[in-house]
Amino acid sequence: MDLPVSRAVASRYDELVASGEISKDPVQVEAVRCLDLLNTKLAETRLASKKSSLGWLFAKKKAELWAAVQGLYMWGGVGRGKTMLMDLFFEVTVIRRKRRAHFHEFMLDVHERIHAHRQAHKRGEVKGDDPIPPVAEQLARETRLLCFDEFAVTDIADAMILGRLFTQLFEKGVIVVATSNVDPNQLYKDGLNRQLFLPFIHLLTSKVRVLHLDSPTDYRLEKLAGAPVYISPLDLSAKDKTDELWRKLTHGVQPRSEELENRGRMIPVPVAAAGAARFDFSDLCAKPLGASDYLRLAHAFGTLFIENVPVMDKARRNEAKRFITLIDTLYDNGIKVVISAEAEPQGLYVAKDGTEAFEFDRTVSRLIEMRSEAYLAGEKEDVHA
């Protein structure tokens, strides 16, 4: 590593502060300190685990060394910098076997592995009808560090396997760093048979340090308030303005591409960083996506960039229908949106008849409201049918 391990995250954070990308926040500084402490512990454990040649006798000791490392669970409201901080940590951590995933995607992967094991067992290809131990073994071989964004448990199928799965993952020395909007003690609140889930909460809080990012400032709002979040027309400056807003919002965090799973299909996300995602209009509206896909995106990202929205006519009614559904979904979920478009909202759909023309009136109204400071502050009007 180029940076000293003990200050790897702090160095990157200080660079962002010095460049004016972010403002120094004492709550974030404490999170940075915790992340650097964790990275230092990971480096020490990594070194210690390589120093012995006791063979299989040391394998157990090695697992115990890693199992003693406490991860980190950062929770708080939107816009507090949780995802940015985890991304900085993920960039600089000494661990090479690492995985960053939305928690929902990780659990879908787990369910697929469980299903595959059960099918293999039916075919007589593997022994043992309990899929949890072999799945935990697979995951532990692949990944030493799991970084979860948007840790949330709403599904009873997830809730019922988490305790057994993570008991084994933690025993095998897997370390967890997570962001969430909720206190871990409130996970799966009011869920069916929640009493069966409580042991997992106790396990999790014993294996991670819990840090509440309770800063009074919503930095996502701070970056967007007063900014041109609806950019039109699509002239030479439109992309520059969009790029500048993206840079400000993501604090220079290294962008990545990823895929989100929804009902057995994958939704490509071309560019993502710091809780935001960036799409071309064609990515979202020229492909056969629907309301559930847009809802999946709304659950994964707090801000969406939608670029190059064209003027639509009757020949593009299918794209217009998807755009209507997309904006409805993002609006209903309070998602912040940055749009670059060929025309102002009132001029985006030019057909005068058909249901799309009627429905697009609502889209126009919502697009106008979604660039208001009240909407960006989380105060949508909820008056549009």
Side-chain angles (χ1 to χ4, degrees), residues 38-65:
L38 173 57
N39 201 30
T40 302
K41 184 66 176 176
L42 292 173
E44 293 170 350
T45 306
R46 192 168 174 236
L47 182 62
S49 67
K50 290 182 177 181
K51 281 188 173 179
S52 176
S53 57
L54 296 178
W56 70 270
L57 288 174
F58 185 64
K60 183 177 180 181
K61 179 65 175 176
K62 182 177 178 180
E64 291 173 355
L65 280 171

Side-chain angles (χ1 to χ4, degrees), residues 172-186:
K172 296 177 188 300
V174 174
I175 295 100
V176 167
V177 173
T179 73
S180 180
N181 291 334
V182 298
D183 182 321
N185 291 304
Q186 298 300 311

Side-chain angles (χ1 to χ4, degrees), residues 73-77 82 178-184 210-214:
Y73 181 107
M74 299 180 286
W75 71 278
K82 304 182 298 295
T179 73
S180 180
N181 291 334
V182 298
D183 182 321
V210 177
L211 184 64
H212 184 195
L213 270 69
D214 58 352

Side-chain angles (χ1 to χ4, degrees), residues 72-87:
L72 187 66
Y73 181 107
M74 299 180 286
W75 71 278
V78 297
R80 267 59 186 180
K82 304 182 298 295
T83 300
M84 174 198 70
L85 293 168
M86 189 175 74
D87 282 349

Side-chain angles (χ1 to χ4, degrees), residues 126-147:
V126 296
K127 295 181 179 179
D129 59 358
D130 183 358
I132 297 299
V135 167
E137 182 65 36
Q138 288 173 8
L139 291 167
R141 280 200 307 266
E142 296 167 4
T143 309
R144 172 67 65 196
L145 173 67
L146 280 171
C147 289

Side-chain angles (χ1 to χ4, degrees), residues 260-295:
L260 298 180
E261 196 276 348
N262 184 48
R263 299 182 178 181
R265 296 188 302 115
M266 303 309 294
I267 308 170
V269 181
V271 184
R278 190 168 179 173
F279 296 89
D280 190 85
F281 172 84
S282 61
D283 297 326
L284 297 174
C285 300
K287 296 177 181 178
L289 301 182
S292 71
D293 300 305
Y294 300 142
L295 184 61

Side-chain angles (χ1 to χ4, degrees), residues 136-374:
E137 182 65 36
Q138 288 173 8
L139 291 167
R141 280 200 307 266
E142 296 167 4
T143 309
R144 172 67 65 196
L145 173 67
L146 280 171
C147 289
F148 291 128
D149 202 15
E150 301 296 336
F151 198 110
V153 183
T154 57
D155 186 277
I156 187 171
D158 291 349
M160 293 304 101
I161 67 172
L162 278 170
R164 292 186 61 229
L165 176 67
F166 274 86
T167 294
Q168 298 206 23
L169 289 178
F170 287 138
E171 286 177 353
K172 296 177 188 300
V174 174
I175 295 100
V176 167
V177 173
T179 73
S180 180
N181 291 334
V182 298
D183 182 321
N185 291 304
Q186 298 300 311
L187 288 169
Y188 197 53
K189 186 180 180 183
D190 302 323
L192 188 64
N193 293 325
R194 187 174 188 261
Q195 71 278 5
L196 301 177
F197 181 73
L198 295 179
F200 169 73
I201 293 178
H202 298 318
L203 171 68
L204 178 65
T205 53
S206 73
K207 300 298 294 186
V208 297
R209 177 174 182 171
V210 177
L211 184 64
H212 184 195
L213 270 69
D214 58 352
S215 170
T217 305
D218 180 342
Y219 290 101
R220 191 179 300 161
L221 171 61
E222 188 179 70
K223 295 294 183 184
L224 293 177
V229 296
Y230 191 101
I231 300 164
S232 181
L234 294 176
D235 55 21
L236 293 176
S237 67
K239 188 173 188 307
D240 290 339
K241 291 175 182 176
T242 307
D243 287 344
E244 176 65 12
L245 198 50
W246 173 265
R247 185 185 62 77
K248 285 183 177 179
L249 194 67
T250 59
H251 319 292
V253 170
Q254 185 68 32
R256 65 189 182 279
S257 62
E258 60 180 79
E259 290 185 321
L260 298 180
E261 196 276 348
N262 184 48
R263 299 182 178 181
R265 296 188 302 115
M266 303 309 294
I267 308 170
V269 181
V271 184
R278 190 168 179 173
F279 296 89
D280 190 85
F281 172 84
S282 61
D283 297 326
L284 297 174
C285 300
K287 296 177 181 178
L289 301 182
S292 71
D293 300 305
Y294 300 142
L295 184 61
R296 183 70 196 88
L297 293 172
H299 288 165
F301 301 103
T303 305
L304 256 62
F305 281 57
I306 308 169
E307 298 182 70
N308 303 311
V309 179
V311 170
M312 291 162 274
D313 56 17
K314 208 161 187 176
R316 305 184 79 162
R317 60 194 296 265
N318 287 333
E319 291 161 86
K321 282 181 178 179
R322 293 190 189 106
F323 188 66
I324 290 167
T325 303
L326 171 64
I327 296 304
D328 281 348
T329 304
L330 300 179
Y331 176 87
D332 289 341
N333 287 272
I335 303 303
K336 296 172 175 61
V337 178
V338 176
I339 289 178
S340 68
E342 194 174 351
E344 289 294 322
Q346 299 91 328
L348 281 180
Y349 193 67
V350 295
K352 301 301 181 185
D353 57 355
T355 57
E356 293 77 28
F358 172 76
E359 291 180 349
F360 213 89
D361 286 341
R362 181 179 70 246
T363 303
V364 169
S365 180
R366 289 186 166 177
L367 286 172
I368 292 171
E369 184 186 339
M370 290 168 87
R371 62 188 185 184
S372 70
E373 293 203 17

